[in-house]
Amino acid sequence: MPLSRVRALAGYAALPWGIDMLLTDACNLRCSYCPITTDMVTKRPSALMNTERAIRFIDSIASFKPMIRFFGGEPFLHPEWPRIFAAAVARGLPITVVTNGTRLVGKAEELVRSGLLAAGISIDPPSVNDAYRGEGVFETCERVVREIREARQRLGSPTPLIEIYTTVYEGTYSLLTEWAARLAEWNIDTLRLQHQIWLRTAQRPVSEELIANAIGESKFFRADVDTYCSDIMPPIDIQLLESQLRALQTLRVPYKIEMHPPLPIEEMLAFYRDPDFKRQSGRACTLISNYAFVDPRGRLYPCLTLDMGNVFEKPFESVWNGKKFRAFRRLLRREQRLPLCERCPA
């Protein structure tokens, strides 16, 4: 058996192609469907990533050239984001960002000059956006998209690409084709439709027991999973959702449309019909072996917020391929997906 296969069976993974760096877990919005809002409501203290530690971390990973996606909370709440972006670009790392857009009015030229490759901006259709995300947010985001587009043209730059992140939930699912058609006028590059995650309450302890048996504990350091647990199915008209998804397949727009999770339509309908939905397409999880997440305190975690070790205190690879992470990968190799993971967007 090849050595690489032996190492994979033991839970080792090659260094990741991408890393999310959460510059803060604070946010200036209180979107009603966002799991981060749940954390803020429970008054968990938010944090800003220490700038010097962030730069030292970037130095430590520069040799294997991962793509860095800056995230949050709202990453532009970090007062020294320009320094952190510049540190990554100076070391030859490709960078992108996901933002609610509200902190970017008047900053388009700075973004274009920063070396940022793509900006993912969270916006929902105008008829529901502000009701769920805050008054005046849609108008602000529309202005920011326009300013970035104009700054790119003025400076002769193809970047940052403009990606619109839209959440699919009861307020938006019936508006998807109308929204996609409207965005054709915005000169964007990608529309990413993000379906929400949820699971039956009984599925959580099953997953936690599997995790605890594998790595010794199953404590999540953020409250995301509290948000996902529900025994009430989302109020979605399945036939209307199907008509929207099929219409999107044939809609001609000058940008790319992505679905997350990227499942066939029939499987997406089961996603909303079946409380015990079990994914059929792409069952084996690859995310835990090729992508990493680092929170503002330096905790490295897989998609589930399990603390695998602190990369501000230990070398990245010693945590990435440490005992806990290897055990978690072996668990996922055996189970393919935990009950918590069936509706994962990856």
Side-chain angles (χ1 to χ4, degrees):
M1 184 181 295
L3 179 59
S4 59
R5 174 70 172 162
V6 173
R7 285 178 59 82
L9 290 173
Y12 288 91
L15 292 168
W17 67 264
I19 298 175
D20 268 13
M21 287 182 65
L22 279 68
L23 296 186
T24 179
D25 46 17
C27 188
N28 57 315
L29 298 185
R30 296 293 183 270
C31 303
S32 60
Y33 50 76
C34 177
I36 294 174
T37 297
T38 301
D39 265 11
M40 292 186 291
V41 168
T42 61
K43 296 181 171 59
R44 177 184 54 77
S46 59
L48 287 174
M49 186 174 284
N50 177 276
T51 301
E52 303 308 324
R53 283 186 151 194
I55 293 173
R56 285 198 299 271
F57 172 69
I58 289 168
D59 269 335
S60 75
I61 61 173
S63 61
F64 63 93
K65 294 289 187 286
M67 183 276 291
I68 302 295
R69 183 171 72 163
F70 294 108
F71 217 118
E74 171 47 47
F76 289 104
L77 288 175
H78 198 295
E80 294 198 276
W81 67 263
R83 277 190 67 200
I84 297 172
F85 283 23
V89 171
R91 290 152 182 80
L93 305 186
I95 63 169
T96 66
V97 71
V98 178
T99 172
N100 63 38
T102 58
R103 306 279 294 185
L104 295 180
V105 172
K107 292 184 169 63
E109 285 207 9
E110 188 174 8
L111 285 180
V112 173
R113 296 183 189 278
S114 73
L116 191 68
L117 296 182
I121 304 174
S122 298
I123 315 176
D124 293 339
S127 60
V128 295
N129 185 89
D130 288 10
Y132 287 86
R133 304 183 71 233
E135 185 176 354
V137 172
F138 183 87
E139 183 179 356
T140 297
C141 290
E142 187 175 27
R143 175 180 171 181
V144 165
V145 169
R146 182 174 63 251
E147 288 180 350
I148 293 173
R149 191 174 62 230
E150 291 171 353
R152 285 193 330 193
Q153 185 174 12
R154 189 163 57 249
L155 297 172
S157 173
T159 58
L161 301 180
I162 300 171
E163 302 175 339
I164 300 301
Y165 282 44
T166 293
T167 304
V168 180
Y169 60 97
E170 64 267 24
T172 60
Y173 80 96
S174 64
L175 305 170
L176 299 181
T177 52
E178 174 188 324
W179 176 226
R182 175 166 180 163
L183 287 173
E185 304 170 359
W186 283 31
N187 195 23
I188 66 169
D189 298 282
T190 302
L191 168 61
R192 172 176 171 151
L193 296 173
Q194 176 77 56
H195 292 266
Q196 288 191 291
I197 305 171
W198 79 95
L199 62 146
R200 286 197 305 108
T201 306
Q203 293 173 307
R204 177 174 179 170
V206 175
S207 299
E208 289 177 331
E209 183 177 2
L210 288 166
I211 293 168
N213 289 339
I215 70 172
E217 54 94 11
S218 60
K219 183 180 178 181
F220 302 105
F221 61 75
R222 277 188 6 190
D224 305 51
V225 178
D226 298 335
T227 304
Y228 301 150
C229 292
S230 175
D231 291 322
I232 301 172
M233 296 290 282
I236 302 291
D237 181 321
I238 302 298
Q239 289 184 324
L240 181 52
L241 175 65
E242 180 178 11
S243 70
Q244 290 287 307
L245 295 178
R246 295 200 186 281
L248 285 171
Q249 284 189 328
T250 59
L251 188 68
R252 298 176 67 86
V253 289
Y255 58 81
K256 180 171 62 174
I257 297 178
E258 296 180 353
M259 286 285 186
H260 293 259
L263 301 177
I265 288 178
E266 290 303 323
E267 200 165 344
M268 280 309 311
L269 300 180
F271 183 103
Y272 286 99
R273 278 195 185 110
D274 184 1
D276 295 308
F277 171 76
K278 191 168 184 178
R279 187 168 173 154
Q280 302 302 311
S281 303
R283 278 205 58 73
C285 176
T286 58
L287 190 69
I288 56 166
S289 295
N290 59 36
Y291 206 90
F293 300 82
V294 178
D295 93 322
R297 299 160 180 82
R299 292 176 293 201
L300 183 73
Y301 61 101
C303 47
L304 297 172
T305 52
L306 299 161
D307 185 355
M308 295 297 176
N310 196 300
V311 294
F312 290 167
E313 299 169 358
K314 301 176 182 177
F316 177 85
E317 189 167 5
S318 71
V319 181
W320 175 248
N321 277 319
K323 182 179 178 180
K324 284 179 69 173
F325 219 142
R326 295 199 316 273
F328 188 69
R329 291 194 190 100
R330 291 196 299 271
L331 170 65
L332 267 291
R333 178 178 289 278
R334 186 185 78 229
E335 300 291 331
Q336 294 193 310
R337 287 182 184 266
L338 305 176
L340 277 170
C341 307
E342 295 293 353
R343 289 184 173 88
C344 172

